[in-house]
Amino acid sequence: MNTTDVLVLLTLGAPFLGFLINGSLGRFLGKLPGWIATLALVVSATSGGILAYQALFQHVHVDRTFYVWAHIGGLEIPVGYLIDPLTGVMLFVVTFVSLWIHLYSIGYMAHDKGYWRYFSYLNMFVFFMLVLVLGNNFLLTFVGWEGVGLASYLLIGFWYFNDAPRQAGMKAFVVNRIGDAGFLLAMFLIFVLFGSLKYEEVFKAVLQHKEAMAPVIALAGFLLFVAATGKSAQIPLYVWLPDAMEGPTPVSALIHAATMVTAGVYLVARASAIYSSVVDVPVLFGLSAPALVALIGAFTAFFAATMALVNNDLKRILAFSTISQLGYMFAAAGMLGYAAAVFHLYTHAFFKALLFLTAGSVMHAMHDVLDIQRMGGLWKKLPWTGLFMLIGGLALAALPPFSGFFSKDEILIAVEENPLVFWLLVITAFMTAFYMFRMFFMVFLGKPRDEHLYEHAHESPPIMLLPMGVLAVGSVVAGFVGIGGENSLWAKMLHHAFVLPENLHHAEHSTLPMLLGIAAGVGGILLAWVMYVFLWPKLPVLLARTLRPVYVLLYNRYWVDELYDLLFVKPLYGVSRWLLFLAVDRVLVDGTVNALAWVSYGFGYVFRGLQTGSVRTYALWIVIGAVMLVGILHFV
């Protein structure tokens, strides 16, 4: 066992051990589970940080198999890890951001009755995400993929004694199963094509046979993207993410920033050899798999941003923002800008985790009230939280020198050659700045709109402020690694991390995307200031009345949930009730059991007449039976 093996085992083993300790003994340990879980993340972040440094700065590349999990026919499933630049980025993001969310949770969940259970689930979540990231083959990644799905179900529905969290957890679980079917089909197809599920073997075979097998390789890419739309909440499988806000707020930060929702982006980036090999092969509606990824990403970014414009729920605004920002990442990946997509994943982890933690701080001060219409003037009561949310908002609005500026600029450059995708993202950037600062202004500026809540508001304790401060620093400086474009530190770290077609020529770093991005961000903030500070509440009310059909459409989220309920949920429920429940359960299962019971009853009814209690009758039947037996044996 070498040093890298030890580091990998520490990175994985620490959160897994924390999960086991808290899950089995946590109820007897008082407030220790929070510190045990956080200490586990300290270990994991340290060892994971060393691995990330080796991968990104020393260009260490290790594909190691510990043992063969299963050997069935021609299928060999190894248990091993892959260390490369993409793994390095994900290791740093997952462990570092998760560490501060764990520390924040000690203060946020201090008085919750399920304290020990919460930290057990939180460690389990990080463990499975690390399995997903470190696995050197599709099946091991799928194990982590399903593990984070299970952990998200448990954490979203953490307060299971209330209907809304329980239903939200089930919704997330069921919707993600649709995407998981795509992942399974992709694995089946990849194994049939190439006889392996190991990443390096599969991608090498893809590059060798991309011309002869282009259509089926494109189909594999499409199926992997189906999986990604479920996990990363893209059209049409985004509907679970807004409802996931029913879980504890630190869970929202963990899911939305560093772990689960980034898994789909990671999968597409990991499979860059597949997507880059089929840029000209149509797979659906005449579009290639990469083009489909780009268009779905761009439309999701725009679509989610429109719903955030009029939403009044503090956490759901950020949830729609997450869906939108993930759309940016997919748009870049679909245009083969994988480095830009992963760059935005990296910066987004800092400022989105920060924004969710500041939202939790506001809820902590406002007795879990989420309606921003009841807030206002909180800067005086929560100055540190207000400052941190301002920093996160400026990073999300992509203004320099905050981290979101650098990564969003790279995305706009990556998609510049596709006018539709480019302008959808520019318009989305304007809407992003507007809805973010609409929320900020309504929460922290102006006069209090609920005096009772305002009077009892208070700043969060240091154990919650410290993680927000660290993430705020990251939201400012994390993007500096992207300065210099193709000569930046980021470009050097991810050198040769992705496979690109030979004929691909990246657009040069023009200033137009940068200027448009800055203009969109500044314009959105200014419009929010005019509407919600300078003219509040006259202009917003006037616009809502004037454009009432549009307002109602956006406020009700285009009635997509109701449409899905009408087209899919109710018909499937009806089919399952009438076909499965009545036909299978009542007729086949119950009918078979009842038939056996009636047959037994019939035999009993007939033969009970033989039980007369008379010894002579019994002797007669014995004689008759013996004669019949002799006769049968004679003829046989």
Side-chain angles (χ1 to χ4, degrees):
M1 185 176 291
N2 55 40
T3 304
T4 306
D5 291 348
V6 174
L7 290 172
V8 168
L9 292 175
L10 280 174
T11 304
L12 286 169
F16 184 68
L17 183 60
F19 158 65
L20 291 179
I21 294 173
N22 286 333
S24 58
L25 302 174
R27 69 179 70 217
F28 309 111
L29 299 177
K31 296 301 179 184
L32 280 179
W35 294 105
I36 292 171
T38 305
L39 179 61
L41 262 293
V42 170
V43 174
S44 187
T46 302
S47 55
I50 295 171
L51 289 170
Y53 176 82
Q54 292 176 343
L56 294 170
F57 293 96
Q58 298 178 347
H59 302 292
V60 170
H61 186 106
V62 181
D63 184 2
R64 174 99 156 84
T65 296
F66 285 120
Y67 64 93
V68 175
W69 182 7
H71 198 144
I72 306 168
L75 175 61
E76 184 176 284
I77 304 170
V79 172
Y81 62 86
L82 174 64
I83 302 294
D84 67 355
L86 179 57
T87 307
V89 172
M90 296 300 295
L91 278 175
F92 175 71
V93 168
V94 171
T95 58
F96 184 79
V97 176
S98 297
L99 166 61
W100 297 106
I101 293 172
H102 275 67
L103 184 63
Y104 176 96
S105 296
I106 293 175
Y108 189 87
M109 299 294 290
H111 304 293
D112 195 281
K113 294 180 180 179
Y115 185 81
W116 64 273
R117 184 166 51 90
Y118 170 84
F119 281 101
S120 177
Y121 294 164
L122 215 59
N123 268 184
M124 179 176 69
F125 199 118
V126 175
F127 166 73
F128 277 119
M129 187 65 194
L130 290 170
V131 170
L132 187 157
V133 167
L134 283 164
N136 67 347
N137 61 84
F138 281 102
L139 190 58
L140 204 55
T141 293
F142 185 70
V143 171
W145 188 276
E146 290 299 288
V148 295
L150 170 62
S152 68
Y153 167 75
L154 295 171
L155 285 167
I156 293 168
F158 180 75
W159 291 310
Y160 59 86
F161 37 80
N162 296 326
D163 286 339
R166 187 168 63 246
Q167 292 171 1
M170 182 60 70
K171 184 176 183 179
F173 193 79
V174 171
V175 172
N176 272 276
R177 298 292 72 72
I178 301 171
D180 295 349
F183 202 141
L184 285 169
L185 291 173
M187 285 196 295
F188 297 154
L189 181 59
I190 288 168
F191 174 70
V192 169
L193 291 177
F194 307 116
S196 175
L197 291 175
K198 284 192 69 175
Y199 287 130
E200 298 207 334
E201 293 177 2
V202 169
F203 299 150
K204 183 179 179 181
V206 165
L207 296 176
Q208 288 177 345
H209 304 288
K210 61 183 180 181
E211 294 181 2
M213 296 184 174
V216 283
I217 293 173
L219 178 58
F222 170 73
L223 291 170
L224 289 173
F225 182 57
V226 170
T229 60
K231 198 66 76 182
S232 293
Q234 298 294 284
I235 293 174
L237 300 180
Y238 72 91
V239 291
W240 67 269
L241 197 56
D243 291 342
M245 298 302 96
E246 295 294 340
T249 302
V251 170
S252 303
L254 190 64
I255 292 176
H256 288 236
T259 54
M260 180 172 171
V261 297
T262 63
V265 180
Y266 165 79
L267 183 65
V268 171
R270 174 60 72 197
S272 64
I274 291 176
Y275 292 101
S276 299
S277 299
V278 292
V279 290
D280 298 319
V281 181
V283 68
L284 187 68
F285 305 126
L287 298 170
S288 67
L292 195 64
V293 172
L295 285 173
I296 291 291
F299 276 110
T300 301
F302 177 85
F303 183 68
T306 62
M307 291 184 281
L309 293 175
V310 299
N311 202 285
N312 294 318
D313 186 297
L314 184 64
K315 288 173 65 177
R316 278 179 170 77
I317 293 170
L318 296 176
F320 286 121
S321 171
T322 298
I323 298 171
S324 183
Q325 296 304 303
L326 289 165
Y328 270 90
M329 300 173 206
F330 280 110
M335 295 297 295
L336 309 186
Y338 304 111
V342 177
F343 189 22
H344 198 54
L345 183 156
Y346 155 73
T347 62
H348 178 262
F350 287 97
F351 62 76
K352 186 52 61 68
L354 173 62
L355 287 170
F356 270 109
L357 296 189
T358 57
S361 182
V362 171
M363 292 172 61
H364 186 264
M366 302 290 283
H367 303 286
D368 291 332
V369 171
L370 287 165
D371 187 358
I372 61 175
Q373 300 278 4
R374 298 179 61 187
M375 301 178 190
L378 287 178
W379 188 281
K380 293 180 180 179
K381 294 276 190 172
L382 289 75
W384 285 108
T385 299
L387 174 63
F388 296 146
M389 183 174 280
L390 177 61
I391 292 172
L394 290 168
L396 178 59
L399 294 187
F402 299 92
S403 61
F405 162 73
F406 298 97
S407 56
K408 191 169 289 186
D409 180 40
E410 290 294 321
I411 286 178
L412 291 177
I413 291 170
V415 304
E416 191 176 10
E417 295 180 1
N418 188 320
L420 176 59
V421 172
F422 178 79
W423 285 107
L424 277 173
L425 295 188
V426 170
I427 296 169
T428 301
F430 172 80
M431 291 191 292
T432 300
F434 173 80
Y435 68 65
M436 183 60 230
F437 278 85
R438 168 184 177 262
M439 182 182 81
F440 175 78
F441 293 147
M442 290 185 71
V443 172
F444 286 100
L445 301 187
K447 296 180 180 180
R449 286 179 286 278
D450 189 319
E451 289 290 346
H452 177 72
L453 285 174
Y454 178 79
E455 288 299 324
H456 291 83
H458 55 85
E459 185 61 275
S460 295
I463 199 170
M464 293 171 64
L465 291 175
L466 176 61
M468 289 190 281
V470 172
L471 293 172
V473 172
S475 299
V476 176
V477 305
F480 292 168
V481 296
I483 296 176
E486 294 181 358
N487 297 315
S488 66
L489 178 59
W490 182 261
K492 293 176 181 177
M493 288 191 299
L494 268 70
H495 187 57
H496 296 313
F498 308 108
V499 177
L500 298 174
E502 296 83 353
N503 60 350
L504 179 68
H505 299 286
H506 286 292
E508 297 199 1
H509 277 53
S510 62
T511 57
L512 179 62
M514 179 182 69
L515 294 176
L516 285 173
I518 294 174
V522 172
I525 294 172
L526 287 176
L527 180 59
W529 180 82
V530 169
M531 290 181 64
Y532 292 96
V533 178
F534 185 64
L535 293 177
W536 169 263
K538 297 178 182 178
L539 186 55
V541 173
L542 178 63
L543 283 175
R545 290 176 179 173
T546 305
L547 303 173
R548 182 165 180 76
V550 176
Y551 178 84
V552 171
L553 180 68
L554 298 181
Y555 188 80
N556 288 283
R557 310 182 200 175
Y558 298 90
W559 291 285
V560 171
D561 280 282
E562 290 79 2
L563 182 63
Y564 283 4
D565 189 60
L566 179 66
L567 295 179
F568 302 109
V569 177
K570 288 181 178 176
L572 287 173
Y573 176 78
V575 169
S576 64
R577 177 173 177 78
W578 293 103
L579 179 60
L580 298 179
F581 176 64
L582 292 179
V584 177
D585 188 66
R586 287 292 178 87
V587 176
L588 183 60
V589 178
D590 288 356
T592 302
V593 173
N594 291 335
L596 290 173
W598 278 106
V599 168
S600 300
Y601 176 79
F603 275 107
Y605 182 81
V606 171
F607 287 106
R608 71 182 179 183
L610 302 178
Q611 302 297 321
T612 62
S614 173
V615 176
R616 295 178 182 178
T617 303
Y618 296 158
L620 175 62
W621 284 114
I622 291 173
V623 172
I624 293 173
V627 171
M628 291 176 61
L629 180 61
V630 170
I632 292 170
L633 292 174
H634 175 74
F635 287 107
V636 169

